[in-house]
Amino acid sequence: MEIDRRTFLALAAASAFRPHGAMAAEEEALFLGARLNAGAFEAAVIDATGRDRLILPLEARGHSFAIDAPRRRAVAFARSPGRFAIAFSVDGKGEPLAFAPPPDRHFYGHGGFTPDGKLLFATENDFEGERGVTGVYDATAGFRRIGEFGTGGIGPHEVILLADGRTLCVANGGILTHPDYERIKLNLATMKPSLSYVDIETGDMVEQVDLAPELHKLSIRHLTLDRFGAVWFGAQYQGEDDLRPPLVGRHRRGQTIELFPGPEATLTALDNYIGSVATDSSGEIVATSSPRGGLAVFWDARSGRCLGERSLKDGCGIAPLANRRLLETSGRGAIVRTGPDTPMENVRATDPAAPTWDNHLRRL
């Protein structure tokens, strides 16, 4: 795949790719996030104390990552609508490798590896065809794009692989965009968000579930998998500001979608926007974060019961730290330990001079 000049320049800049201090032991908790640091976009590997372990310069704003933990590598994706992705070793070994989708596609910012690390899947926009696709890249051959699956919807955002290692779950947000119109939402009146399950060996759609028609403006965006095999999602409402539909849901294969509004005051404070979803290390606590609301809200994965909330201004990136504990980052430079049982603990306090973190934090 041809690498455009901008991407080439990013690779050149990546010569500054530098590990900080001794390499982390594999068993040490490390996290990966995109951020803006002194005017420069970068991906950063940090430890649980907030210390930088590795920095990868990016040519523009990054969003999220696909992580191949057994092989100690990751792919950083551009924020939608973006056209760059960079594969790199999280231990700083070797040169980063940039790649791009075809000219008539752009990335939506999320992806995932197969368990054997051979294939990478990335959510993409077929913007002329007005449909979502999952691009398939051969990770053993320089991330050459070898095909795509239709996602059965518009605006696929996050994609995760289920525990069977064979089925992808894709969140079709339902929002039609085109790069000629930047981020303008072109189909709010006819949105149809859904969850699609795709067999990665055949490309077949094996199941698809929709929200109720009255919730057609509830854009399903982010996903996580609990220890019981259910998919949890966070949504962003595109309808009237004075309405407060549930933003958090769960789906078990073969069943209908369940929605969890939580306490009325909490739902109101979330401001119709969930920016990231994660489970704790046990997989029994689901965390949903809202930078608009400045809240992280915790849910019992077994019952769907709301377990409480913690406040962090502009907090969004969230990842498992331990059982019932998570690490959260903010767009105002803060890094905190948080969870449903104990007070929030500052790792790094809010600091206008510190790097500002983007929406997602991933544990390596």
Side-chain angles (χ1 to χ4, degrees), residues 99-119:
F99 58 100
D104 56 351
R105 305 284 190 270
H106 70 69
F107 292 126
Y108 273 115
H110 288 267
F113 281 92
T114 50
D116 61 10
K118 293 181 178 178
L119 297 177

Side-chain angles (χ1 to χ4, degrees), residues 2-14 57-59 83-86 96-101:
E2 183 179 356
I3 298 176
D4 64 33
R5 179 168 174 76
R6 292 189 68 198
T7 303
F8 174 78
L9 291 174
L11 274 175
L58 301 177
E59 66 178 81
R83 289 186 41 77
F84 73 83
I86 301 178
L97 173 66
F99 58 100

Side-chain angles (χ1 to χ4, degrees), residues 96-266:
L97 173 66
F99 58 100
D104 56 351
R105 305 284 190 270
H106 70 69
F107 292 126
Y108 273 115
H110 288 267
F113 281 92
T114 50
D116 61 10
K118 293 181 178 178
L119 297 177
L120 171 76
F121 302 99
T123 50
E124 298 175 359
N125 187 10
D126 172 6
F127 44 87
E128 298 298 346
E130 298 186 353
R131 68 184 186 117
V133 302
T134 300
V136 183
Y137 295 80
D138 186 346
T140 69
F143 291 88
R144 179 173 60 91
R145 195 176 191 275
I146 58 175
E148 65 183 28
F149 304 142
T151 67
I154 291 173
H157 196 68
E158 187 155 13
V159 58
I160 59 173
L161 187 67
L162 302 191
D164 63 8
R166 175 165 176 164
T167 309
L168 291 177
C169 181
V170 184
N172 288 308
I175 301 174
L176 178 64
T177 58
H178 191 288
D180 288 350
Y181 304 100
E182 296 185 345
R183 293 169 63 84
I184 296 175
K185 298 160 185 169
L186 302 170
N187 68 330
L188 292 181
T190 59
M191 284 175 56
K192 191 178 180 181
S194 64
L195 291 176
S196 293
Y197 295 87
V198 180
D199 186 313
I200 61 173
E201 294 189 11
T202 65
D204 293 340
M205 183 81 65
V206 295
E207 186 173 352
Q208 186 172 44
V209 288
D210 303 324
L211 295 170
E214 63 270 21
L215 294 175
H216 77 98
K217 291 185 179 180
L218 191 61
S219 179
I220 301 175
R221 308 283 284 183
H222 296 109
L223 305 173
T224 192
L225 194 64
D226 71 21
R227 67 165 298 183
F228 310 107
V231 173
W232 284 73
F233 64 83
Q236 299 169 12
Y237 186 55
Q238 305 297 319
E240 297 78 3
D241 289 340
D242 59 339
L243 297 181
R244 289 289 185 266
L247 301 173
V248 177
R250 177 177 65 188
H251 182 246
R252 297 184 174 108
R253 295 287 308 278
Q255 301 184 20
T256 58
I257 288 175
E258 303 169 274
L259 293 171
F260 303 105
E264 182 176 351
T266 299

